[in-house]
Amino acid sequence: MSAELISILVLVVVFVIATTRSINMGALAFAAAYGVGELVADFDADKIFAGFPGDLFVVLVGVTYLFAIARANGTTDWLVHASIRLVRGRVVLIPWVMFVLTGALTAIGAVSPAAVAIVAPIALSFAARYQISPLLMGAMVVHGAQGGGFSPISIYGTIVNGIVEREKLPGNEIALFLASLIVNLVIAGVVFVLFGGLKLRNDESVTETVSVPASSSVSSSAPSSASSAVSSAGSASSSAGAGAEAKSAPEGRGADLEKDREKDLEQDREKDREKDRSAEAEDDTTRLNPARTATLAALVALVVAVLAFDLDAGLTSITLAVLLSTCWPADSRNAVTQIAWPTVLLICGVLTYVGVLDEMGTIDWAGEGVSDIGVPLLSAVLLCYIGALVSAFASSVGIMGALIPLAVPFLAQGEIGAVGMVAALAVSATVVDVSPFSTNGALVLAAAPGVDRERFFRQLMMYGGIVVAVVPAVVWLALVVPGWG
């Protein structure tokens, strides 16, 4: 058995173990890189580490560090509340607000599962309250996350663009972002129509309960003063009644009534204080303070720096995060622990192993095998389907990190446009994340209140299967066949 075939089989084993044993694929890939590099290719440690993606490491750490600060100081909560307030009683818009919200979070640097974990409980609580299909709402959340997931400053976007740059392929950051956004937007539109989105009614009461999923307080400031007045009036009337009764009662009885009256008054005051604290907490969530304003400005500055001035996204985001941490250390104290370390480990491990494959000549060997099929378009659609099928059960980031380098040799022949092929692979590998076996799909399944989970699981599985069967062919026709790039 050739060394190249052994290294490919080891990669398959890594994917299988990571999927079936819930072990981080990056850790497995580091072990595989060491084993294959030392035992099969006779590489030393320096040659193995040559494939470590230092630039992507900085990007992943920097962007997720900045987003962790935004989450710690309440900027993400503010964005959630601001987005929900846009509904203004129009229930039909709730699914689209959730789509836009998760898309915005991933576009500014949130890891896709993190954005889904933030929004899915809110979205599915609305779905339960207003009789919206949980499949519709869950799909809108996941497709929203993937729609914004390939912006130039997003995690997926920086990973794919970094791989393209490392492999010296022609790339287009905006084309990649728009391809994912448009595909997911179209899918969301189809799902919205098929699962009853057009039948949703408008209901003005949604504006009164818009903060229910995010806070235990149903209404904050306005009802607080009214309830305070009611309780005060109740206290006054009970006071008067107690006083009258005390005069006609024996002295001991009057003392007991006086104690009861004081106890009732204290309970009323405690209720008022609790309502005031609820109102304060709600106001704190929805109000812009200096830290949140600075964080929003930092996110805008990151976008401008990357798109307008072509600055490095990783170094820029770390610099902005350090500035915010310096000004508000209390808010940022735990942000480092919230960096997406599992994702960092995953992509760095997989790309280190891919670097070993490249040094061994496995990439060229596999590319020649794909090219030997003789029909480049057929090879392209097969790669798209492999990416979609594997990603439905395993890591989308991992499969992108492995498949794009494997496609390099036949892309180098020039018969397939590299920009369109990379975009098709990226979309195929991520659009299927609504599958209940993926992290995003599992988060949606877990967040749905008051549903038959077995039935919802089957719905997600069927929907995921349809996406796997249909979308790779559609993106292949739209992005690869025309020869974009």
Side-chain angles (χ1 to χ4, degrees):
M1 187 181 296
S2 68
E4 292 85 0
L5 183 57
I6 291 173
S7 63
I8 291 289
L9 292 176
V10 169
L11 180 61
V12 173
V13 170
V14 165
F15 275 105
V16 171
I17 294 176
T19 303
T20 58
R21 306 297 294 176
S22 298
I23 302 175
N24 186 288
M25 191 184 300
L28 289 169
F30 272 122
Y34 178 63
V36 172
E38 287 278 359
L39 301 177
V40 179
D42 197 24
F43 289 167
D44 58 17
D46 289 339
K47 209 162 190 179
I48 293 172
F49 280 124
F52 182 83
D55 50 349
L56 282 182
F57 174 84
V58 174
V59 168
L60 292 172
V61 170
V63 172
T64 57
Y65 183 26
L66 182 58
F67 184 79
I69 292 175
R71 188 165 48 197
N73 65 22
T75 302
T76 55
D77 291 335
W78 180 86
L79 286 171
V80 168
H81 281 269
S83 300
I84 292 174
R85 284 198 300 272
L86 294 175
V87 173
R88 294 186 179 278
R90 293 182 287 274
V91 177
V92 70
L93 294 181
I94 293 178
W96 290 107
V97 169
M98 300 305 164
F99 178 93
V100 172
L101 180 57
T102 47
L105 290 175
T106 54
I108 63 176
V111 182
S112 179
V116 173
I118 291 169
V119 177
I122 300 170
L124 288 158
S125 294
F126 271 113
R129 182 176 181 84
Y130 295 102
Q131 290 78 51
I132 301 173
S133 164
L135 180 59
L136 164 61
M137 192 66 90
M140 295 295 278
V141 169
V142 175
H143 287 303
Q146 308 302 34
F150 286 93
S151 81
I153 64 168
S154 68
I155 297 298
Y156 285 173
T158 52
I159 287 171
V160 172
N161 292 322
I163 294 171
V164 167
E165 186 175 348
R166 284 162 59 85
E167 299 295 338
K168 297 180 174 57
L169 291 171
N172 189 319
E173 297 178 351
I174 302 300
L176 175 64
F177 172 47
L178 291 178
S180 177
L181 177 61
I182 291 170
V183 169
N184 282 282
L185 187 61
V186 170
I187 294 174
V190 172
V191 170
F192 184 79
V193 172
L194 291 181
F195 292 98
L198 297 177
K199 298 176 183 177
L200 296 177
R201 61 188 177 84
N202 288 339
D203 187 346
E204 292 298 331
S205 63
V206 72
T207 57
E208 299 173 7
T209 59
V210 74
S211 62
V212 170
S215 170
S216 60
S217 147
V218 175
S219 56
S220 53
S221 55
S224 172
S225 58
S227 60
S228 178
V230 170
S231 64
S232 298
S235 299
S237 62
S238 66
S239 207
E245 192 174 343
K247 288 179 183 177
S248 60
E251 190 175 343
R253 174 67 174 164
D256 290 340
L257 288 173
E258 183 67 24
K259 287 180 183 177
D260 290 342
R261 184 174 68 85
E262 288 295 333
K263 186 177 179 181
D264 290 341
L265 286 172
E266 182 58 33
Q267 287 176 345
D268 288 339
R269 283 194 291 267
E270 182 59 31
K271 286 178 183 177
D272 288 341
R273 283 194 291 269
E274 286 179 6
K275 287 173 183 175
D276 289 340
R277 283 194 292 268
S278 288
E280 232 175 87
E282 179 67 20
D283 185 54
D284 184 64
T285 303
T286 58
R287 189 180 66 245
L288 271 180
N289 57 28
R292 293 170 188 167
T293 303
T295 304
L296 290 172
L299 294 172
V300 172
L302 177 61
V303 173
V304 173
V306 172
L307 296 183
F309 298 100
D310 199 25
L311 298 179
D312 183 81
L315 295 174
T316 303
S317 56
I318 284 183
T319 302
L320 292 169
V322 168
L323 289 174
L324 291 172
S325 298
T326 303
C327 295
W328 292 277
D331 290 338
S332 310
R333 189 172 291 116
N334 297 322
V336 173
T337 62
Q338 300 301 315
I339 292 172
W341 294 116
T343 301
V344 174
L345 176 61
L346 188 152
I347 192 62
C348 290
V350 169
L351 289 185
T352 299
Y353 186 70
V354 168
V356 171
L357 297 185
D358 194 22
E359 285 288 335
M360 291 176 61
T362 302
I363 303 295
D364 291 335
W365 179 82
E368 289 169 3
V370 172
S371 300
D372 286 344
I373 294 176
V375 185
L377 286 176
L378 178 59
S379 303
V381 74
L382 288 176
L383 283 176
C384 288
Y385 270 106
I386 291 171
L389 186 61
V390 175
S391 184
F393 299 92
S395 165
S396 300
V397 177
I399 193 64
M400 285 189 295
L403 277 184
I404 294 175
L406 289 176
V408 169
F410 91 91
L411 287 176
Q413 297 175 2
E415 297 182 44
I416 298 290
V419 172
M421 183 65 205
V422 169
L425 278 175
V427 172
S428 298
T430 55
V431 76
V432 298
D433 278 0
V434 75
S435 157
F437 301 106
S438 70
T439 304
N440 286 343
L443 286 169
V444 167
L445 180 63
V451 300
D452 181 342
R453 294 200 183 277
E454 289 295 327
R455 181 170 179 268
F456 192 30
F457 174 84
R458 290 193 297 271
Q459 288 177 334
L460 286 171
M461 189 166 61
M462 289 178 61
Y463 176 64
I466 292 170
V467 171
V468 170
V470 174
V471 173
V474 173
V475 296
W476 172 76
L477 284 171
L479 300 174
V480 179
V481 173
W484 302 113

